[in-house]
Amino acid sequence: MGGLGVEEAYSEAVTAHRAVLDLLDGESAPGWHATVLRDLGDAQSLIAMLVVLGRACRRLGTLNGEGRADGAGR
């Protein structure tokens, strides 16, 4: 994601979600509290999948004799 100009997107999203969690009381608003926590988990899962996909693309590029996964090494 860093190459797309959104280097700070994840940390900004986490900061925003934590700010919302600070405003919510888990006992009086358990549904909203759970939603925010689930959203944070979803974001973390997405980041992990992107890392795995990036590594797979890099490996495929190497197997095909490319210098880089995007083909720029040809």
Side-chain angles (χ1 to χ4, degrees):
M1 286 178 34
L4 300 175
V6 290
E7 295 87 0
E8 300 298 320
Y10 178 72
S11 62
E12 289 173 6
V14 168
T15 300
H17 279 80
R18 286 186 177 163
V20 171
L21 283 175
D22 288 342
L23 296 173
L24 293 172
D25 177 18
E27 290 184 25
S28 63
W32 286 109
H33 198 261
T35 298
V36 173
L37 290 175
R38 186 184 63 232
D39 288 350
L40 275 169
D42 289 348
Q44 181 60 39
S45 295
L46 178 61
I47 295 297
M49 285 190 295
L50 288 173
V51 168
V52 169
L53 287 172
R55 289 178 181 159
C57 286
R58 204 172 299 137
R59 274 185 253 140
L60 285 172
T62 301
L63 290 174
N64 289 329
E66 298 172 1
R68 291 176 27 189
D70 62 5
R74 289 184 179 181

